[in-house]
Amino acid sequence: MPPRGAAGGCRRRRLAPLNEDNGRFLLLAALIAAYLSAGATVFSALESPSEAAAQLRWNRTLHNFSRIFNISLPELRAFLRSYEAAMAAGIRVDALRPRWDFPGAFYFVGTVVSTIGFGMTTPATVAGKVFLIVYGLFGCAGTILFFNLFLERIISLLAFIMKACHERQLRRSGLLPPNFRRGSAMAGVGSLIGWKPSVYHVMLILGIFAVTLSCCASAMYTFVEGWNYIDSLYYCFVTFSTIGFGDLVSSQNAVYQNQGLYRFGNFIFILMGVCCIYSLFNVISIMIKQLLNWVLKKFECRCCPKCHKSSARLGRRNAITPGARLRRHKISMDADGQYDSDTEGRRLSGEMISMRELMASNKVSLAILQKQLSETANGYPRNVCINTRQNGFSAGVGALAIMNNRLAETSDRR
């Protein structure tokens, strides 16, 4: 009978359905909840006094206006409600550009498919709202695909440039011969085997490019729109990150100096800014995932060396290597000296089935696993995952799948 106590507790933790992926997901959910609570606390402390003061000033202004011009408060409030309805419809005191001509409609659909959604223009008809649902469904999906493809190409471009710089440094230091060419027979030089750019370097380059782009766009908005520079930077971040509050919106006046050139520059800045910030967010997400993995490792079960010893012994018994079938009987006898039966040993190791059952049920899978492990041992890239817990999404989904094995921190060789 297996001993109870530390080994039993360790076994229960190992057999629990909370695997590493689920643990990472729950930990991230807890961190996001804490992050939201902290952000709400800070913004409430910063903005709540200003909101209360603005409401007090408005009430004072309203009463003074009612008293001076001898207008009752109900009539004044009814007029203000009509004004708010006109604001929602896009009507302003100053002349603005038409909202639903072709340039205005193009600006609107651009904010829809990019998920910016400023909110300054919304469809008012039932047909327009129904069409927006269908249009946004495919438009947003296609734009996300475009962002992912842009991410793939910018990561590939940065990796190519950084690897060329790395080769140049190796050539200067004498570790590479002067006549070295990529893809030649000397491509197996130890300094270049498995080399991939670091996520920190990629994040630094994307961050510098995003800051430079935001500063240039802010200078243009400050000059053309008449905003101060801080408001322009704020608008760039809100727009490029697709938050899109709508309190500041560019290219809304009826007439601008060099209007065609400004609208083209506005389109290019928004397009490049959204793509760049999207790529930067995904690179930062890798660092957050590394942090979650580090936290999860701190919670690994290390309290029971006996369990680790037994699981390591059982793991060696079930290893699929050339000649393992001939040595299986001898290793099984060594393991059976520690456990009363093979079933009991499997329970202690957390295995679901024995290797004997696996071989009997699927000999083709066994051959694939043997070939895969042999290739791994000889240094060939792994194309088939041997972890039975993983599925078709084990390499990641979306942007994480695109960056899989392209950076040093996402490489399988780490």
Side-chain angles (χ1 to χ4, degrees):
M1 184 175 181
R4 297 184 180 181
C10 181
R11 182 175 69 253
R12 284 192 295 270
R13 281 191 293 271
R14 219 172 27 246
L15 293 177
L18 186 63
N19 56 20
E20 182 180 354
D21 294 333
N22 292 333
R24 188 187 299 115
F25 174 77
L26 293 178
L27 180 59
L28 180 60
L31 290 178
I32 289 177
Y35 193 77
L36 292 175
S37 300
T41 302
V42 172
F43 280 112
S44 178
L46 292 176
E47 301 295 337
S48 182
S50 176
E51 180 187 24
Q55 185 65 40
L56 185 61
R57 288 195 303 270
W58 171 249
N59 291 334
R60 188 182 302 114
T61 302
L62 198 63
H63 284 84
N64 290 336
F65 188 88
S66 174
R67 180 177 53 83
I68 293 174
F69 294 96
N70 196 20
I71 301 175
S72 65
L73 285 177
E75 292 177 349
L76 183 57
R77 293 185 187 277
F79 175 78
L80 292 176
R81 290 190 186 94
S82 300
Y83 174 74
E84 289 178 352
M87 288 283 292
I91 300 174
R92 299 293 187 273
V93 176
D94 298 327
L96 295 178
R97 58 177 291 180
R99 296 298 180 91
W100 292 110
D101 61 349
F102 183 80
F106 189 84
Y107 193 88
F108 167 73
V109 296
T111 61
V112 170
V113 300
S114 63
T115 69
I116 296 176
F118 286 126
M120 79 289 183
T121 304
T122 56
T125 63
V126 176
K129 294 177 181 179
V130 172
F131 179 73
L132 176 64
I133 295 174
V134 179
Y135 183 84
L137 178 65
F138 295 97
C140 293
T143 305
I144 290 175
L145 175 61
F146 175 80
F147 290 160
N148 286 331
L149 295 178
F150 178 87
L151 172 64
E152 181 181 14
R153 277 146 184 78
I154 194 66
I155 293 296
S156 300
L157 176 62
L158 292 178
F160 176 81
I161 296 175
M162 294 173 69
K163 189 169 185 178
C165 295
H166 181 67
E167 292 178 2
R168 193 173 187 180
Q169 291 179 353
L170 292 178
R171 191 177 289 108
R172 286 182 176 179
S173 60
L175 298 178
L176 284 180
N179 58 350
F180 172 78
R181 291 293 182 273
R182 197 174 303 166
S184 63
M186 300 186 63
V189 178
S191 301
L192 290 176
I193 292 178
W195 186 89
K196 292 182 177 66
S198 173
V199 66
Y200 304 104
H201 296 158
V202 174
M203 185 191 70
L204 179 62
I205 294 174
L206 287 176
I208 293 175
F209 183 74
V211 170
T212 304
L213 190 67
S214 299
C215 291
C216 295
S218 299
M220 182 187 71
Y221 294 134
T222 300
F223 176 75
V224 178
E225 298 287 350
W227 303 335
N228 62 62
Y229 196 76
I230 299 300
D231 287 341
S232 299
L233 282 175
Y234 161 80
Y235 167 77
C236 288
F237 176 77
V238 168
T239 303
F240 296 167
S241 60
T242 69
I243 297 175
F245 289 128
D247 51 345
L248 289 176
V249 182
S250 62
S251 187
Q252 294 302 301
N253 294 335
V255 179
Y256 288 98
Q257 186 179 3
N258 299 321
Q259 180 168 289
L261 182 62
Y262 170 64
R263 288 182 176 177
F264 177 76
N266 182 44
F267 174 77
I268 294 299
F269 273 124
I270 292 179
L271 176 63
M272 295 301 298
V274 171
C275 292
C276 183
I277 293 296
Y278 176 83
S279 302
L280 182 62
F281 283 168
N282 282 282
V283 173
I284 294 175
S285 69
I286 296 179
M287 301 178 60
I288 297 176
K289 188 176 181 180
Q290 285 185 307
L291 175 62
L292 296 177
N293 292 335
W294 178 81
V295 173
L296 288 176
K297 287 182 180 179
K298 294 299 181 180
F299 293 103
E300 284 183 351
C301 178
R302 299 175 180 176
C303 61
C304 185
K306 187 175 181 179
C307 286
H308 288 291
K309 184 178 179 181
S310 63
S311 63
R313 183 184 294 111
L314 291 171
R316 288 193 301 270
R317 179 185 64 187
N318 290 337
I320 309 174
T321 55
R325 195 171 182 178
L326 299 177
R327 298 192 301 269
R328 187 180 59 194
H329 178 68
K330 180 180 178 181
I331 300 177
S332 299
M333 292 182 61
D334 295 337
D336 290 338
Q338 177 72 20
Y339 299 102
D340 295 337
S341 65
D342 183 72
T343 303
E344 182 180 352
R346 289 198 307 272
R347 286 200 306 267
L348 288 176
S349 64
E351 298 170 11
M352 299 302 295
I353 59 174
S354 67
M355 184 54 62
R356 184 178 308 167
E357 294 168 349
L358 178 62
M359 293 173 63
S361 63
N362 197 343
K363 294 183 179 180
V364 178
S365 297
L366 175 63
I368 293 175
L369 291 173
Q370 287 176 332
K371 181 177 181 295
Q372 185 62 33
L373 286 176
S374 177
E375 290 180 352
T376 303
N378 288 283
Y380 293 101
R382 296 181 297 174
N383 295 324
V384 180
C385 184
I386 64 174
N387 191 348
T388 57
R389 295 184 307 167
Q390 295 181 350
N391 51 28
F393 299 104
S394 58
V397 179
L400 290 178
I402 289 175
M403 291 184 290
N404 189 34
N405 285 328
R406 293 181 180 271
L407 302 175
E409 286 74 11
T410 62
S411 176
D412 290 338
R413 298 180 181 271
R414 286 180 60 84

